[in-house]
PDB file of all heavy atoms in Angstrom:
ATOM      1  N   PHE R 307      -5.335   7.733   3.234  1.00 95.00           N
ATOM      2  CA  PHE R 307      -4.729   6.673   4.037  1.00 95.00           C
ATOM      3  C   PHE R 307      -3.389   6.241   3.427  1.00 95.00           C
ATOM      4  O   PHE R 307      -3.347   5.907   2.266  1.00 95.00           O
ATOM      5  CB  PHE R 307      -5.654   5.448   4.118  1.00 95.00           C
ATOM      6  CG  PHE R 307      -4.979   4.323   4.815  1.00 95.00           C
ATOM      7  CD1 PHE R 307      -4.994   4.267   6.197  1.00 95.00           C
ATOM      8  CD2 PHE R 307      -4.367   3.297   4.128  1.00 95.00           C
ATOM      9  CE1 PHE R 307      -4.345   3.249   6.860  1.00 95.00           C
ATOM     10  CE2 PHE R 307      -3.723   2.238   4.776  1.00 95.00           C
ATOM     11  CZ  PHE R 307      -3.722   2.223   6.143  1.00 95.00           C
ATOM     12  N   THR R 308      -2.334   6.258   4.221  1.00 93.00           N
ATOM     13  CA  THR R 308      -1.080   5.698   3.827  1.00 93.00           C
ATOM     14  C   THR R 308      -0.393   4.956   5.008  1.00 93.00           C
ATOM     15  O   THR R 308      -0.764   5.258   6.157  1.00 93.00           O
ATOM     16  CB  THR R 308      -0.040   6.776   3.396  1.00 93.00           C
ATOM     17  OG1 THR R 308       0.209   7.639   4.507  1.00 93.00           O
ATOM     18  CG2 THR R 308      -0.563   7.622   2.210  1.00 93.00           C
ATOM     19  N   ARG R 309       0.463   4.017   4.663  1.00 92.00           N
ATOM     20  CA  ARG R 309       1.203   3.325   5.772  1.00 92.00           C
ATOM     21  C   ARG R 309       2.105   4.281   6.516  1.00 92.00           C
ATOM     22  O   ARG R 309       2.308   4.148   7.686  1.00 92.00           O
ATOM     23  CB  ARG R 309       1.989   2.164   5.162  1.00 92.00           C
ATOM     24  CG  ARG R 309       1.127   0.983   4.969  1.00 92.00           C
ATOM     25  CD  ARG R 309       1.877  -0.082   4.217  1.00 92.00           C
ATOM     26  NE  ARG R 309       0.923  -1.012   3.795  1.00 92.00           N
ATOM     27  CZ  ARG R 309       0.377  -1.945   4.566  1.00 92.00           C
ATOM     28  NH1 ARG R 309       0.765  -2.103   5.790  1.00 92.00           N
ATOM     29  NH2 ARG R 309      -0.583  -2.724   4.128  1.00 92.00           N
ATOM     30  N   GLU R 310       2.722   5.224   5.726  1.00 93.00           N
ATOM     31  CA  GLU R 310       3.609   6.230   6.428  1.00 93.00           C
ATOM     32  C   GLU R 310       2.791   6.979   7.476  1.00 93.00           C
ATOM     33  O   GLU R 310       3.261   7.217   8.557  1.00 93.00           O
ATOM     34  CB  GLU R 310       4.218   7.211   5.454  1.00 93.00           C
ATOM     35  CG  GLU R 310       5.176   6.649   4.415  1.00 93.00           C
ATOM     36  CD  GLU R 310       4.469   6.215   3.161  1.00 93.00           C
ATOM     37  OE1 GLU R 310       4.165   7.081   2.347  1.00 93.00           O
ATOM     38  OE2 GLU R 310       4.185   5.010   3.026  1.00 93.00           O
ATOM     39  N   GLY R 311       1.537   7.340   7.100  1.00 95.00           N
ATOM     40  CA  GLY R 311       0.722   8.050   8.058  1.00 95.00           C
ATOM     41  C   GLY R 311       0.467   7.228   9.282  1.00 95.00           C
ATOM     42  O   GLY R 311       0.515   7.716  10.395  1.00 95.00           O
ATOM     43  N   LEU R 312       0.249   5.926   9.086  1.00 95.00           N
ATOM     44  CA  LEU R 312      -0.020   5.022  10.241  1.00 95.00           C
ATOM     45  C   LEU R 312       1.239   4.902  11.109  1.00 95.00           C
ATOM     46  O   LEU R 312       1.153   4.927  12.328  1.00 95.00           O
ATOM     47  CB  LEU R 312      -0.418   3.675   9.688  1.00 95.00           C
ATOM     48  CG  LEU R 312      -1.084   2.683  10.597  1.00 95.00           C
ATOM     49  CD1 LEU R 312      -2.173   3.355  11.447  1.00 95.00           C
ATOM     50  CD2 LEU R 312      -1.656   1.494   9.847  1.00 95.00           C
ATOM     51  N   GLU R 313       2.399   4.865  10.442  1.00 94.00           N
ATOM     52  CA  GLU R 313       3.611   4.789  11.240  1.00 94.00           C
ATOM     53  C   GLU R 313       3.886   6.094  12.007  1.00 94.00           C
ATOM     54  O   GLU R 313       4.321   6.059  13.144  1.00 94.00           O
ATOM     55  CB  GLU R 313       4.819   4.403  10.322  1.00 94.00           C
ATOM     56  CG  GLU R 313       4.885   2.890  10.166  1.00 94.00           C
ATOM     57  CD  GLU R 313       5.498   2.408   8.869  1.00 94.00           C
ATOM     58  OE1 GLU R 313       6.340   3.162   8.332  1.00 94.00           O
ATOM     59  OE2 GLU R 313       5.135   1.322   8.380  1.00 94.00           O
ATOM     60  N   GLN R 314       3.485   7.238  11.349  1.00 96.00           N
ATOM     61  CA  GLN R 314       3.657   8.497  12.085  1.00 96.00           C
ATOM     62  C   GLN R 314       2.719   8.492  13.312  1.00 96.00           C
ATOM     63  O   GLN R 314       3.064   9.023  14.368  1.00 96.00           O
ATOM     64  CB  GLN R 314       3.298   9.666  11.173  1.00 96.00           C
ATOM     65  CG  GLN R 314       4.483  10.023  10.304  1.00 96.00           C
ATOM     66  CD  GLN R 314       4.028  10.924   9.131  1.00 96.00           C
ATOM     67  OE1 GLN R 314       2.927  11.430   9.114  1.00 96.00           O
ATOM     68  NE2 GLN R 314       4.908  11.052   8.145  1.00 96.00           N
ATOM     69  N   SER R 315       1.521   7.936  13.149  1.00 97.00           N
ATOM     70  CA  SER R 315       0.605   7.846  14.311  1.00 97.00           C
ATOM     71  C   SER R 315       1.219   7.017  15.398  1.00 97.00           C
ATOM     72  O   SER R 315       1.099   7.340  16.586  1.00 97.00           O
ATOM     73  CB  SER R 315      -0.719   7.268  13.873  1.00 97.00           C
ATOM     74  OG  SER R 315      -1.452   8.216  13.149  1.00 97.00           O
ATOM     75  N   GLU R 316       1.839   5.897  15.050  1.00 94.00           N
ATOM     76  CA  GLU R 316       2.480   5.062  16.076  1.00 94.00           C
ATOM     77  C   GLU R 316       3.555   5.854  16.810  1.00 94.00           C
ATOM     78  O   GLU R 316       3.687   5.765  18.041  1.00 94.00           O
ATOM     79  CB  GLU R 316       3.097   3.836  15.437  1.00 94.00           C
ATOM     80  CG  GLU R 316       2.060   2.786  15.036  1.00 94.00           C
ATOM     81  CD  GLU R 316       2.639   1.426  14.722  1.00 94.00           C
ATOM     82  OE1 GLU R 316       3.751   1.390  14.171  1.00 94.00           O
ATOM     83  OE2 GLU R 316       1.947   0.412  15.017  1.00 94.00           O
ATOM     84  N   GLN R 317       4.322   6.645  16.028  1.00 94.00           N
ATOM     85  CA  GLN R 317       5.396   7.425  16.687  1.00 94.00           C
ATOM     86  C   GLN R 317       4.801   8.497  17.630  1.00 94.00           C
ATOM     87  O   GLN R 317       5.312   8.699  18.702  1.00 94.00           O
ATOM     88  CB  GLN R 317       6.301   8.047  15.634  1.00 94.00           C
ATOM     89  CG  GLN R 317       7.202   7.038  14.976  1.00 94.00           C
ATOM     90  CD  GLN R 317       7.794   7.535  13.684  1.00 94.00           C
ATOM     91  OE1 GLN R 317       7.913   8.723  13.492  1.00 94.00           O
ATOM     92  NE2 GLN R 317       8.101   6.603  12.795  1.00 94.00           N
ATOM     93  N   ALA R 318       3.760   9.116  17.136  1.00 96.00           N
ATOM     94  CA  ALA R 318       3.124  10.181  17.966  1.00 96.00           C
ATOM     95  C   ALA R 318       2.588   9.572  19.273  1.00 96.00           C
ATOM     96  O   ALA R 318       2.833  10.128  20.338  1.00 96.00           O
ATOM     97  CB  ALA R 318       1.977  10.837  17.208  1.00 96.00           C
ATOM     98  N   LEU R 319       1.977   8.405  19.186  1.00 96.00           N
ATOM     99  CA  LEU R 319       1.434   7.755  20.391  1.00 96.00           C
ATOM    100  C   LEU R 319       2.575   7.301  21.296  1.00 96.00           C
ATOM    101  O   LEU R 319       2.471   7.415  22.502  1.00 96.00           O
ATOM    102  CB  LEU R 319       0.596   6.535  19.991  1.00 96.00           C
ATOM    103  CG  LEU R 319      -0.770   6.869  19.409  1.00 96.00           C
ATOM    104  CD1 LEU R 319      -1.523   5.574  19.128  1.00 96.00           C
ATOM    105  CD2 LEU R 319      -1.603   7.740  20.307  1.00 96.00           C
ATOM    106  N   SER R 320       3.638   6.808  20.687  1.00 92.00           N
ATOM    107  CA  SER R 320       4.776   6.367  21.472  1.00 92.00           C
ATOM    108  C   SER R 320       5.304   7.505  22.307  1.00 92.00           C
ATOM    109  O   SER R 320       5.606   7.373  23.499  1.00 92.00           O
ATOM    110  CB  SER R 320       5.812   5.782  20.546  1.00 92.00           C
ATOM    111  OG  SER R 320       7.050   5.687  21.099  1.00 92.00           O
ATOM    112  N   ARG R 321       5.435   8.705  21.695  1.00 93.00           N
ATOM    113  CA  ARG R 321       5.885   9.905  22.403  1.00 93.00           C
ATOM    114  C   ARG R 321       4.938  10.235  23.543  1.00 93.00           C
ATOM    115  O   ARG R 321       5.350  10.504  24.668  1.00 93.00           O
ATOM    116  CB  ARG R 321       5.899  11.088  21.426  1.00 93.00           C
ATOM    117  CG  ARG R 321       7.294  11.407  20.873  1.00 93.00           C
ATOM    118  CD  ARG R 321       7.407  12.869  20.397  1.00 93.00           C
ATOM    119  NE  ARG R 321       6.275  13.430  19.704  1.00 93.00           N
ATOM    120  CZ  ARG R 321       5.960  13.253  18.406  1.00 93.00           C
ATOM    121  NH1 ARG R 321       6.770  12.522  17.665  1.00 93.00           N
ATOM    122  NH2 ARG R 321       4.917  13.836  17.841  1.00 93.00           N
ATOM    123  N   LEU R 322       3.672  10.219  23.213  1.00 97.00           N
ATOM    124  CA  LEU R 322       2.644  10.566  24.210  1.00 97.00           C
ATOM    125  C   LEU R 322       2.634   9.620  25.381  1.00 97.00           C
ATOM    126  O   LEU R 322       2.581   9.994  26.530  1.00 97.00           O
ATOM    127  CB  LEU R 322       1.290  10.623  23.497  1.00 97.00           C
ATOM    128  CG  LEU R 322       0.058  10.998  24.282  1.00 97.00           C
ATOM    129  CD1 LEU R 322       0.220  12.408  24.838  1.00 97.00           C
ATOM    130  CD2 LEU R 322      -1.182  10.955  23.379  1.00 97.00           C
ATOM    131  N   TRP R 323       2.652   8.328  25.099  1.00 95.00           N
ATOM    132  CA  TRP R 323       2.581   7.340  26.129  1.00 95.00           C
ATOM    133  C   TRP R 323       3.869   7.327  27.014  1.00 95.00           C
ATOM    134  O   TRP R 323       3.744   7.180  28.232  1.00 95.00           O
ATOM    135  CB  TRP R 323       2.366   5.908  25.497  1.00 95.00           C
ATOM    136  CG  TRP R 323       1.016   5.782  24.848  1.00 95.00           C
ATOM    137  CD1 TRP R 323       0.001   6.719  24.883  1.00 95.00           C
ATOM    138  CD2 TRP R 323       0.559   4.713  24.037  1.00 95.00           C
ATOM    139  NE1 TRP R 323      -1.064   6.232  24.151  1.00 95.00           N
ATOM    140  CE2 TRP R 323      -0.743   5.048  23.605  1.00 95.00           C
ATOM    141  CE3 TRP R 323       1.095   3.513  23.632  1.00 95.00           C
ATOM    142  CZ2 TRP R 323      -1.494   4.196  22.837  1.00 95.00           C
ATOM    143  CZ3 TRP R 323       0.329   2.639  22.812  1.00 95.00           C
ATOM    144  CH2 TRP R 323      -0.949   2.998  22.430  1.00 95.00           C
ATOM    145  N   ASP R 324       4.974   7.511  26.340  1.00 92.00           N
ATOM    146  CA  ASP R 324       6.231   7.604  27.051  1.00 92.00           C
ATOM    147  C   ASP R 324       6.167   8.802  28.039  1.00 92.00           C
ATOM    148  O   ASP R 324       6.602   8.691  29.181  1.00 92.00           O
ATOM    149  CB  ASP R 324       7.339   7.793  26.040  1.00 92.00           C
ATOM    150  CG  ASP R 324       8.668   7.293  26.565  1.00 92.00           C
ATOM    151  OD1 ASP R 324       8.673   6.227  27.120  1.00 92.00           O
ATOM    152  OD2 ASP R 324       9.649   8.049  26.371  1.00 92.00           O
ATOM    153  N   PHE R 325       5.650   9.887  27.567  1.00 95.00           N
ATOM    154  CA  PHE R 325       5.542  11.093  28.361  1.00 95.00           C
ATOM    155  C   PHE R 325       4.656  10.816  29.592  1.00 95.00           C
ATOM    156  O   PHE R 325       5.022  11.090  30.725  1.00 95.00           O
ATOM    157  CB  PHE R 325       4.944  12.207  27.502  1.00 95.00           C
ATOM    158  CG  PHE R 325       4.575  13.462  28.314  1.00 95.00           C
ATOM    159  CD1 PHE R 325       5.536  14.378  28.696  1.00 95.00           C
ATOM    160  CD2 PHE R 325       3.267  13.715  28.648  1.00 95.00           C
ATOM    161  CE1 PHE R 325       5.209  15.523  29.381  1.00 95.00           C
ATOM    162  CE2 PHE R 325       2.905  14.849  29.355  1.00 95.00           C
ATOM    163  CZ  PHE R 325       3.887  15.748  29.748  1.00 95.00           C
ATOM    164  N   VAL R 326       3.444  10.256  29.332  1.00 96.00           N
ATOM    165  CA  VAL R 326       2.526   9.979  30.431  1.00 96.00           C
ATOM    166  C   VAL R 326       3.153   9.038  31.423  1.00 96.00           C
ATOM    167  O   VAL R 326       3.061   9.243  32.653  1.00 96.00           O
ATOM    168  CB  VAL R 326       1.194   9.458  29.906  1.00 96.00           C
ATOM    169  CG1 VAL R 326       0.258   8.961  31.002  1.00 96.00           C
ATOM    170  CG2 VAL R 326       0.472  10.539  29.060  1.00 96.00           C
ATOM    171  N   ASP R 327       3.829   8.008  30.970  1.00 94.00           N
ATOM    172  CA  ASP R 327       4.514   7.059  31.898  1.00 94.00           C
ATOM    173  C   ASP R 327       5.485   7.792  32.777  1.00 94.00           C
ATOM    174  O   ASP R 327       5.592   7.560  33.997  1.00 94.00           O
ATOM    175  CB  ASP R 327       5.261   5.988  31.121  1.00 94.00           C
ATOM    176  CG  ASP R 327       4.288   4.966  30.473  1.00 94.00           C
ATOM    177  OD1 ASP R 327       3.086   4.959  30.862  1.00 94.00           O
ATOM    178  OD2 ASP R 327       4.705   4.231  29.554  1.00 94.00           O
ATOM    179  N   ARG R 328       6.256   8.666  32.150  1.00 94.00           N
ATOM    180  CA  ARG R 328       7.292   9.376  32.961  1.00 94.00           C
ATOM    181  C   ARG R 328       6.667  10.354  33.949  1.00 94.00           C
ATOM    182  O   ARG R 328       7.147  10.533  35.046  1.00 94.00           O
ATOM    183  CB  ARG R 328       8.315  10.007  32.028  1.00 94.00           C
ATOM    184  CG  ARG R 328       9.251   8.936  31.452  1.00 94.00           C
ATOM    185  CD  ARG R 328      10.369   9.510  30.584  1.00 94.00           C
ATOM    186  NE  ARG R 328       9.808  10.260  29.492  1.00 94.00           N
ATOM    187  CZ  ARG R 328      10.207  11.499  29.133  1.00 94.00           C
ATOM    188  NH1 ARG R 328      11.151  12.086  29.813  1.00 94.00           N
ATOM    189  NH2 ARG R 328       9.678  12.109  28.137  1.00 94.00           N
TER     190      ARG R 328
END
Side-chain angles (χ1 to χ4, degrees):
F307 174 82
T308 61
R309 278 172 195 280
E310 294 90 79
L312 195 48
E313 275 152 29
Q314 280 163 14
S315 285
E316 285 194 325
Q317 285 163 26
L319 287 181
S320 159
R321 261 203 320 278
L322 180 60
W323 294 353
D324 205 44
F325 171 80
V326 170
D327 287 345
R328 284 184 300 132

